[in-house]
Amino acid sequence: MNVVKVLGLWAALAWIGHGRVLRLGRQARARSARGRPIKEALPWYHSADEIHDKLNELARGGCNGADIEITQRSELNSGSAAGEVVELDVLHISRSSGASQPKKRAMMVYGEHARELISPESALHFVQALCGDGVAASRASAVLDNVSFTIVPNANPVSRRLVEEGQYCKRTNEDGVDLNRNFGDAHRATGDEPGEEMNPGPNGFSEPESRIIRDLVQEERPDIYLSIHSGAYLLGTPFGYTSDRTPENEASMMEVLKPISEKYCEGECPYGNLARLIHYKNPGCDIDFVQEAVGTPYVFTWE
């Protein structure tokens, strides 16, 4: 299965399809009172509970002939929120095709930063499309013939609840740790303290959320890994910790991203090395871990 087709489906159905939501969100930020619950300030967004319920409805109702399984992975917090159990929904979506070739495996992680509401919203929209909802159902069906999906729709559920209650700027998890700086110690930087937005935590994988994602990646060994964020405007490749190094297959990843930028962004989506595009280093980010430690060939951060 052409990787461009898999990621192009996501761009067409989830990202571009939610352009109106993004525009409305920008308008609401300008006029809404700080501290109002999200359902009052931005009522078009689904809450985390609503996303959970709708995904379960899809699992019960059938998914375009595919099997959809929703499980929960849990870890006990041992940090500043010690004793709290963190639970992440995990979706496995696959359809038997009878093909002799093994299917490609795609893993998508949404909502690592709690305030980025559009990320889990896009997870719901993408799964709905895979399950046959919308004008591109036939296109999604073709993808399911060749690809199986592992999807984490809300990777920071405890802090997401705080955002929904009115803490709009909450980025970190319940321990005040930036999950996307907590993936291992190979390149992890220290400096930011608890409470600061890019605090990497006391050590790599100190956080229950990053441990759950690490274990999933190591179990699934995906061919494609996509980490979905908002706030910037880019299609990023490893590495986040430096702009001076690129993966051996950087050219292959650029071949994937170029037509996606051209088709869905009129060529205006910057693509390439994450640290260079975002203008600061991202040591300890998930895509670096997945590329280096797991060896996934196609690894991206999209914002």
Side-chain angles (χ1 to χ4, degrees), residues 274-296:
L274 177 61
R276 176 176 57 81
L277 291 180
I278 209 164
H279 304 299
Y280 59 84
K281 295 180 180 180
N282 302 258
C285 66
D286 58 349
I287 64 169
D288 289 1
F289 169 78
V290 174
Q291 207 284 328
E292 290 186 312
V294 182
T296 296

Side-chain angles (χ1 to χ4, degrees), residues 30-104:
R31 66 172 181 264
S32 63
R34 182 180 178 87
R36 293 168 58 199
I38 287 294
K39 292 302 288 186
E40 293 180 11
L42 307 173
W44 45 85
Y45 280 110
H46 293 88
S47 69
D49 286 342
E50 289 170 339
I51 291 172
H52 170 86
D53 290 344
K54 285 186 174 292
L55 291 172
N56 275 281
E57 288 174 12
L58 289 170
R60 291 192 298 268
C63 182
N64 213 0
D67 295 321
I68 175 169
E69 178 188 31
I70 302 180
T71 59
Q72 285 72 43
R73 295 291 187 99
S74 61
E75 282 270 351
L76 185 66
N77 191 303
S78 58
S80 61
E84 181 164 10
V85 176
V86 175
E87 191 172 81
L88 304 188
D89 285 341
V90 179
L91 282 74
H92 287 94
I93 306 175
S94 184
R95 186 172 67 198
S96 298
S97 64
S100 58
Q101 295 293 327
K103 289 189 174 188
K104 295 296 185 183

Side-chain angles (χ1 to χ4, degrees), residues 136-256:
S138 60
R139 183 177 177 187
S141 180
V143 170
L144 280 171
D145 285 337
N146 297 280
V147 184
S148 61
F149 291 89
T150 299
I151 296 173
V152 178
N154 180 13
N156 193 353
V158 177
S159 287
R160 168 66 187 239
R161 287 197 295 269
L162 297 178
V163 172
E164 291 179 4
E165 292 168 2
Q167 296 186 35
Y168 301 157
C169 294
K170 179 70 171 173
R171 169 185 167 103
T172 57
N173 77 338
E174 65 277 4
D175 290 328
V177 172
D178 183 344
L179 297 175
N180 208 27
R181 300 295 182 272
N182 191 242
F183 278 80
D185 289 305
H187 309 294
R188 196 179 66 91
T190 58
D192 279 24
E193 300 298 325
E196 296 183 329
E197 288 200 335
M198 296 186 188
N199 168 34
N203 54 266
F205 298 114
S206 61
E207 304 310 301
E209 298 90 348
S210 59
R211 292 196 299 272
I212 291 172
I213 295 170
R214 174 200 62 192
D215 293 348
L216 272 172
V217 171
Q218 291 175 333
E219 291 170 21
E220 299 295 334
R221 315 294 296 187
D223 302 291
I224 304 165
Y225 180 90
L226 184 58
S227 181
I228 296 94
H229 295 261
S230 69
Y233 190 56
L234 58 87
L235 307 171
T237 62
F239 293 98
Y241 79 92
T242 181
S243 58
D244 297 327
R245 180 185 170 214
T246 58
E248 292 182 2
N249 69 324
E250 172 77 359
S252 296
M253 286 191 278
M254 297 294 273
E255 287 178 7
V256 168

